[in-house]
Amino acid sequence: MFSFHTLSVIPRLPANISRLNEIAYNFWFSWNRPARELFFRINSELWDDVYHNPVKFLLRVKQEELNAAADDPGYLTLYRNVMERFDGYMQGKKWYHTRYPGHAGQYIAYFSAEFGLHESHPIYSGGLGLLAGDHLKSASDLGLPLVGVGLLYKHGYFTQRINAEGRQEVEYPYLNFHEMPMCPATREDGKEILITVELPGRKVYARVWRVKVGRVDLYLLDTDIGRNCREDRDITAQLYGGNKDVRMAQEIVLGIGGVRALRELKINPYMWHINEGHAAFLCLERLRGKVQEGVNPQVAAEAVTANTLFTTHTPVPAGHDVYTAEMMDHYFSHYLGETGLSRDEFICLGWDHDRCVFNMTYLAMRFADFVNGVSELHGHVSRCMFSKFFGSVPPEEVPIFHVTNGVHTETMMAEVMKELFSKYLAPDWRTNMSNSDLWTRVESIPDDVLWAVHLGLKKKTVDFIRHRLKMQRIRNYEPAERVAELEKYLDPEALTIGFARRYATYKRATLIFRDLARLTRLINDSSRPVQIIFAGKAHPADHPGQEMIKRINDFTREEPFRGKIIFLENYDINVARHLVQGVDVWLNNPRRPQEASGTSGMKAALNGVLNFSVLDGWWPEAFNGKNGFAIGEGKEYCNEEVQDLEDSLSLYAVLEEQIIPLYYQRQAGLPGEWLKYMKNSIRTVVPYFSTERMVREYAERYYVSGITRGIHFRQEDFSVAVRLEAFKEFIRNNWHQVSVAALETGSYKGLSAGDTLNVNATVHLGSIWQEDVVVEIAYGEVDNNNLTGIKAVPMKMEKKLEDNTFLYTGKLILPRGALGYTVRVRPSSPDFTHKFEVPLVAWACGLG
C-alpha cells in the first residue's frame, strides 16, 4: 500500500472575463437574467447541478470551458454588456440620493432572523425571510444606506422530502459557506471579525460573514467555529429549531451580537429597524452601550427609542416569543450591572402581565417610537391585540400603523413578462415601477400575445413539475410504471390552481377537500377540467401540519384525482418562481384575520395569475371585484367550524359560478373576459404591492424621521432625551391629579349637520402645567357605549379658575348621522413622536 495526497484545483478565470467573480459574489445576479446567463451559457447542465449557485459553479467548471467562453465573441459581448449594466447600477445616483441628499451615509440597520435572497442561499423558511430579502433588494435599487444583520444557519431551515408513503421527511444539509456567495467580514488589516456574547458561565464567539445584495451589505453571524464548545457551535445550526434555550441563545447572538458586529465593522447606524421580535435584544445592547458611556439608564432608553422602528408580522398572540422570568434571570443576571437597571426594571421592559412572561414583542415596542403592522387589516388587528399596552388609549388610536408588504418585482416576474412590458408599457418601466398611470398601458397588450405568453409559462411549469416528480419517484424506488405515468400528468390547457405556502393549520391547506364529491365533479369535468398543484413545508414539530401534507398526498393517489392533483416537494424560491409564473389561479384560504399580509399572491399577480383568496392580509386592499376572486365576505367568526364550513361553501360556489365558466368562455379561441381580469390584476397589483413602494414608504414615514430624531436626541449630551425622560416621569407621577370636572354644552334643539355645538369643560390639572396637555373634544359613532371612528377637535383654554383648574371652550361642527362626543385630556410635548407617546388619557364621564 502507498499513501497519497488529494487537492482540489480551482479553475482560474481568464483575464478578459475575470470580473465574473464580482457577479458571483453579489446577489444582484438573482434578479438579473443576463448576469445568470454568463454562467449557464458556459455549462447549463452544471448550472442546474449547483442549483444556480454561481460561486459553486466557478469552483467546479472546467478550465477549458472558461477558456472557450473567453474566446467566444458572442459571450464576450454579453459579458461586457452585463458589466456595464452592473457598474451603472452600483455607481449611479438613485432615488434616495435625489430625495434625501443630506442623509447619505447615515446607515439604517435592518435586523431579521431570516433572509430569503435566492435558492442558492437557503437560510430562510418562508414569508418573513423572503420579505426581508426583498427589502434589501429594493433598498439597493433605491439607494438607501441600509445594512442587514441576521444569523447564518449551517443547516438552513430544512430540506423536505416526500417519501413513498406521502409523508414529509426532514433532511438537514450541511451548508459549505465557502461555496456560497459570501465571504468572511474582515477588518482593515485583513483579519476576520469575531464578536463575543455572554451566556451563563461562558463566552460564545461568532464569525461575521458579509453578503452583497446589490449596493447593500448583509452581515450574518455564525457560531460554528472551533473556539466554541459543541453546544454553542450548534446555536446557529438551524432556523427555528431546538428548544427554548436554543431560541434564547439565537436571539442573544442576533440582537446583542449583531450590535457588537456593527461596532466592530465601524458602522454607526442612525436608524434601527427590528423586523419581528426575534432581534429585540438589540435594544438592550444599545442601552448598555450608552450606559457604559455614562448616560443615565432612563435617558439612554429614551435615546434608543427615538430612532427605533419595530415591524410586527404576527396577528396571533401565541406567535410571539416569550420567556419566563426565571429564564431571563438565568441568561441576563450578569448583564444587569452593565445596564444600570434593577432586576425589576429590567424585567418590566418586556413583561406581559396577562401571561406572566417576558414578551419579545413587548420589549421591541417598549423601545420603538415607531411601530407598524404589514397590511391595513393587520394594523387594525395589532392595535386591538396590543391595546392593553397603551392603557386608556382607545384601541383604534393605539399608535401602531401599517406599511403593507410588497414583493421585489424583478425577482419573481417571468422574463417573458418583463419583455412584454418593455414592448407595450415603456422600455424604462423598471425605473418607474410605482407609477400607476404607466400600468394602464397593460390594456394595449393584444389578448392573443398575452395569452400565448401565459400558456408558454404554464407549459414550462408543467414540464418542471413532471421532472421533479420523476426524480422523487426514482429516489423512492417506485415502480417503473409509476414513473412513466408522469408524462400524462397535468394538462397545460386545463384550469390550474396553485396552493403553496407554509403548512400551518390556520392556513387550511385541505379546505378544498371538505366536500370530496363536489371536488371530484369539478376535477373530472371532461369539458371544463380543473387541476390543483400543492407545495409547502410543515415545521418538523408541527404534527397537524405534517398530517395535512400526508392527507393531500393520499388524495393525489386516489383515482378521481390521480394526475390532476399534485403535491410538489421541497417548496423553495425556485419552486415558487415556477408556480407563481405558471398557474392560472393562486388559492389562499387562511382563517381570517390570522394572515398578517401574505406575499405569494402578489408574486402570482406580477405574472398575470389571478388571486382567489379569503379577504385577509393584503387582499382586502387589492381586491376590486374585477382583478381576482374573494372567498367569503370578510366576516369575523367566533366558531372555527362554522367559519370553515361557510368558507368552503363560498370556495366551491365561486369556482363553479365564476372562475371555471370565466376561464372556459372562449371567443376565437381566447378567454376574453379572463384576459380582462388578468390585465386588471396586473394594472392594480403590480404598481402598489411592490417592495419599491414599500421601502419608499418606510423611508418617507419612518427612516428619515427616525434619523433626524436620533440626531436631535444625541445633541448636547442627550439634553433632549434628558428633558423628555424627566417630563414623562413627572407626568406619570402626577397624572392621577388630572380630571374633567364638568362638561357643559349648549342646547341641541334645532341643530342639524353643519351647525355648531358649543362645548365647555372644567379641567383640573393639579401639579401639571396647562401647556403640557391638550384638551380636546373627541367624537365619533357610538357602539356599545364606546366611540368608534374617533376624531378630535382641540379646545382653547379660556381662563384659569382656582386650584389649577381651567375652563376650556370648543366648537364642534356637527357631522351627519348619529354622534357621540366627550372631552378628554392627554399629555403633550413637542418632543413626542406621536400624540399617545405617553399613553395616559383623562376622559369626561359618559358620552354626550
Side-chain angles (χ1 to χ4, degrees):
M1 294 295 294
F2 59 90
S3 62
F4 59 91
H5 300 280
T6 62
L7 66 145
S8 298
V9 179
I10 300 174
R12 178 177 297 175
L13 287 171
N16 59 343
I17 58 171
S18 61
R19 294 185 68 195
L20 273 181
N21 256 327
E22 285 184 60
I23 302 298
Y25 280 94
N26 192 316
F27 276 94
W28 180 80
F29 77 80
S30 69
W31 68 94
N32 286 273
R33 179 181 170 83
R36 298 191 298 276
E37 191 176 345
L38 288 175
F39 302 97
F40 68 72
R41 186 182 283 195
I42 295 173
N43 186 329
S44 60
E45 186 175 337
L46 177 61
W47 179 247
D48 287 337
D49 286 346
V50 299
Y51 212 43
H52 318 138
N53 178 341
V55 172
K56 201 170 185 178
F57 180 93
L58 291 180
L59 291 172
R60 298 191 180 185
V61 70
K62 294 178 181 177
Q63 185 68 56
E64 53 267 31
E65 291 175 326
L66 290 174
N67 294 340
D71 292 334
D72 180 352
Y75 183 88
L76 291 176
T77 298
L78 172 65
Y79 172 82
R80 286 190 290 268
N81 288 340
V82 170
M83 297 316 303
E84 181 179 349
R85 184 174 174 181
F86 178 67
D87 289 340
Y89 178 89
M90 295 297 287
Q91 299 165 15
K93 183 173 282 191
K94 302 289 185 180
W95 169 82
Y96 192 81
H97 307 136
T98 303
R99 184 67 179 269
Y100 302 108
H103 293 292
Q106 295 176 343
Y107 278 102
I108 302 144
Y110 181 88
F111 279 63
S112 181
E114 52 174 308
F115 288 88
L117 298 169
H118 186 253
E119 60 264 26
S120 65
H121 207 256
I123 59 166
Y124 58 91
S125 74
L128 179 71
L130 295 173
L131 184 280
D134 283 3
H135 195 113
L136 298 192
K137 292 175 183 179
S138 283
S140 171
D141 293 341
L142 294 167
L144 272 68
L146 186 139
V147 56
V149 179
L151 298 179
L152 184 57
Y153 307 97
K154 68 181 176 185
H155 298 308
Y157 185 43
F158 68 87
T159 299
Q160 180 197 54
R161 298 287 181 243
I162 302 300
N163 66 21
E165 296 178 351
R167 291 194 176 276
Q168 171 179 289
E169 292 183 344
V170 172
E171 296 179 1
Y172 293 101
Y174 193 103
L175 302 178
N176 185 342
F177 300 149
H178 295 283
E179 292 185 344
M180 295 167 67
M182 58 188 180
C183 294
T186 58
R187 295 188 177 87
E188 292 179 358
D189 61 5
K191 292 183 179 179
E192 291 187 8
I193 291 177
L194 286 181
I195 61 96
T196 62
V197 296
E198 295 75 31
L199 293 181
R202 65 198 191 276
K203 283 187 177 181
V204 175
Y205 296 83
R207 179 189 286 117
V208 183
W209 294 80
R210 181 189 184 196
V211 181
K212 296 180 180 179
V213 186
R215 300 162 66 120
V216 165
D217 285 335
L218 166 63
Y219 293 99
L220 300 173
L221 279 66
D222 162 30
T223 65
D224 186 26
I225 58 177
R227 298 183 71 170
N228 291 328
C229 66
R230 170 48 56 193
E231 178 186 359
D232 292 339
R233 294 183 69 165
D234 285 341
I235 289 173
T236 56
Q238 63 190 79
L239 175 61
Y240 303 140
N243 56 25
K244 281 277 191 181
D245 288 287
V246 172
R247 179 64 67 90
M248 171 69 85
Q250 287 184 338
E251 295 183 348
I252 288 172
V253 173
L254 172 60
I256 295 175
V259 174
R260 293 178 182 180
L262 293 179
R263 288 188 193 130
E264 289 292 325
L265 289 159
K266 310 300 183 188
I267 296 172
N268 179 31
Y270 283 68
M271 180 68 186
W272 301 76
H273 188 168
I274 306 171
N275 190 45
E276 195 55 288
H278 311 111
F281 287 145
L282 74 84
C283 303
L284 301 181
E285 178 61 13
R286 293 178 60 206
L287 172 72
R288 187 195 68 85
K290 287 179 169 51
V291 170
Q292 294 300 297
E293 294 170 2
V295 181
N296 173 278
Q298 283 69 38
V299 172
E302 288 295 338
V304 169
T305 304
N307 60 349
T308 302
L309 165 66
F310 170 55
T311 298
T312 174
H313 293 258
T314 309
V316 182
H320 299 265
D321 284 349
V322 296
Y323 301 106
T324 64
E326 292 77 15
M327 200 168 181
M328 292 299 298
D329 289 338
H330 180 64
Y331 279 92
F332 285 95
S333 58
H334 66 279
Y335 201 81
L336 279 179
E338 298 183 35
T339 64
L341 300 172
S342 70
R343 186 267 184 187
D344 288 345
E345 288 173 329
F346 184 84
I347 292 295
C348 281
L349 294 176
W351 193 246
D352 182 338
H353 292 280
D354 289 342
R355 300 166 66 188
C356 292
V357 288
F358 188 93
N359 190 317
M360 293 294 283
T361 297
Y362 281 23
L363 175 64
M365 291 172 63
R366 165 65 181 81
F367 278 103
D369 266 348
F370 310 93
V371 181
N372 75 281
V374 290
S375 70
E376 184 177 5
L377 178 59
H378 181 230
H380 167 73
V381 170
S382 297
R383 285 189 288 276
C384 294
M385 187 164 62
F386 296 117
S387 61
K388 291 182 181 179
F389 193 84
F390 292 91
S392 53
V393 176
E396 68 178 74
E397 292 188 283
V398 163
I400 299 176
F401 308 100
H402 77 274
V403 175
T404 300
N405 282 345
V407 295
H408 189 252
T409 304
E410 290 220 64
T411 294
M412 297 304 277
M413 183 182 284
E415 293 299 321
V416 287
M417 295 297 288
K418 295 177 186 178
E419 293 166 7
L420 208 59
F421 297 149
S422 294
K423 181 176 180 179
Y424 290 97
L425 270 64
D428 63 345
W429 64 270
R430 290 174 173 86
T431 61
N432 201 17
M433 214 174 294
S434 297
N435 182 353
S436 57
D437 292 337
L438 173 72
W439 291 95
T440 61
R441 301 180 194 174
V442 168
E443 301 296 335
S444 68
I445 301 174
D447 282 358
D448 60 333
V449 173
L450 179 58
W451 191 242
V453 165
H454 180 64
L455 288 182
L457 289 169
K458 282 181 71 176
K459 176 66 167 61
K460 181 180 177 182
T461 295
V462 168
D463 290 342
F464 172 81
I465 292 170
R466 288 172 178 168
H467 176 73
R468 296 274 292 213
L469 289 173
K470 180 180 179 181
M471 295 299 101
Q472 175 184 325
R473 292 189 177 182
I474 290 173
R475 186 194 70 238
N476 288 334
Y477 302 104
E478 298 199 33
E481 59 269 22
R482 285 271 292 158
V483 176
E485 71 181 7
L486 292 170
E487 294 304 318
K488 299 177 182 178
Y489 275 28
L490 302 177
D491 176 3
E493 299 285 339
L495 174 64
T496 305
I497 299 172
F499 181 99
R501 52 197 20 90
R502 184 166 54 90
Y503 274 60
T505 51
Y506 79 87
K507 293 179 181 283
R508 301 188 297 184
T510 54
L511 186 68
I512 200 169
F513 295 100
R514 191 176 177 99
D515 187 336
L516 289 177
R518 203 166 175 182
L519 180 61
T520 299
R521 288 195 298 273
L522 295 177
I523 294 288
N524 291 284
D525 185 332
S526 59
S527 62
R528 302 191 307 182
V530 177
Q531 54 197 16
I532 311 173
I533 302 163
F534 289 90
K537 298 177 179 180
H539 189 278
D542 183 0
H543 298 295
Q546 293 176 51
E547 285 304 313
M548 280 187 175
I549 291 173
K550 173 64 168 70
R551 189 178 175 206
I552 292 172
N553 275 296
D554 288 343
F555 285 129
T556 68
R557 296 161 180 252
E558 295 181 7
E559 194 50 49
F561 307 131
R562 196 181 186 95
K564 299 164 188 174
I565 295 181
I566 301 297
F567 189 94
L568 202 56
E569 71 178 5
N570 203 35
Y571 184 51
D572 67 357
I573 291 177
N574 184 41
V575 173
R577 188 184 301 117
H578 283 86
L579 294 185
V580 299
Q581 294 174 6
V583 298
D584 299 300
V585 174
W586 196 254
L587 177 62
N588 182 38
N589 45 233
R591 287 196 184 97
R592 188 181 191 270
Q594 296 184 42
E595 186 86 281
S597 175
T599 54
S600 62
M602 302 174 191
K603 296 167 186 172
L606 299 177
N607 297 286
V609 175
L610 300 184
N611 277 275
F612 179 29
S613 175
V614 168
L615 289 166
D616 198 11
W618 72 286
W619 189 230
E621 297 172 59
F623 176 62
N624 66 9
K626 293 293 183 181
N627 62 355
F629 310 93
I631 298 170
E633 301 175 351
K635 296 190 301 183
E636 302 293 327
Y637 293 84
C638 297
N639 185 300
E640 290 186 354
E641 181 61 26
V642 172
Q643 183 175 11
D644 291 355
L645 174 60
E646 292 199 6
D647 283 348
S648 69
L649 291 173
S650 174
L651 188 157
Y652 290 127
V654 174
L655 274 173
E656 292 167 343
E657 298 167 14
Q658 298 181 51
I659 294 176
I660 295 173
L662 200 69
Y663 181 83
Y664 284 106
Q665 180 184 327
R666 303 297 168 103
Q667 295 175 333
L670 296 174
E673 291 301 311
W674 187 270
L675 284 158
K676 287 181 182 178
Y677 270 71
M678 288 176 64
K679 290 179 180 180
N680 200 359
S681 176
I682 293 168
R683 180 179 61 79
T684 55
V685 172
V686 177
Y688 185 76
F689 296 95
S690 71
T691 43
E692 180 194 77
R693 183 274 312 158
M694 182 192 82
V695 173
R696 282 190 184 192
E697 197 170 336
Y698 274 117
E700 292 168 341
R701 293 179 61 178
Y702 299 122
Y703 291 165
V704 172
S705 297
I707 289 169
T708 303
R709 188 168 170 80
I711 293 171
H712 182 53
F713 269 56
R714 283 200 302 265
Q715 290 174 342
E716 299 177 3
D717 293 326
F718 299 94
S719 61
V720 177
V722 170
R723 181 174 70 229
L724 184 57
E725 191 278 326
F727 174 77
K728 288 182 178 180
E729 182 70 11
F730 177 80
I731 290 292
R732 282 191 287 263
N733 288 339
N734 292 279
W735 192 253
H736 64 280
Q737 303 174 29
V738 177
S739 63
V740 181
L743 174 60
E744 298 177 356
T745 61
S747 174
Y748 299 106
K749 291 183 179 180
L751 295 180
S752 58
D755 290 339
T756 299
L757 178 68
N758 294 311
V759 180
N760 298 329
T762 303
V763 177
H764 182 68
L765 297 179
S767 304
I768 296 177
W769 186 33
Q770 57 94 11
E771 291 291 335
D772 290 337
V773 300
V774 167
V775 180
E776 56 194 9
I777 306 167
Y779 68 97
E781 297 180 3
V782 180
D783 182 17
N784 293 326
N785 205 38
N786 291 313
L787 288 180
T788 62
I790 295 174
K791 296 179 181 178
V793 176
M795 300 181 75
K796 179 183 177 182
M797 198 277 286
E798 195 66 35
K799 62 180 178 179
K800 183 177 181 180
L801 305 176
E802 56 186 15
D803 298 327
N804 215 28
T805 300
F806 301 85
L807 175 65
Y808 282 81
T809 62
K811 297 180 182 295
L812 176 60
I813 299 175
L814 298 178
R816 292 185 181 276
L819 172 70
Y821 68 92
T822 188
V823 169
R824 69 185 183 190
V825 188
R826 58 179 173 82
S828 178
S829 166
D831 296 323
F832 282 1
T833 309
H834 48 76
K835 63 184 181 182
F836 291 117
E837 187 164 328
V838 177
L840 296 171
V841 187
W843 297 84
C845 294
L847 294 173

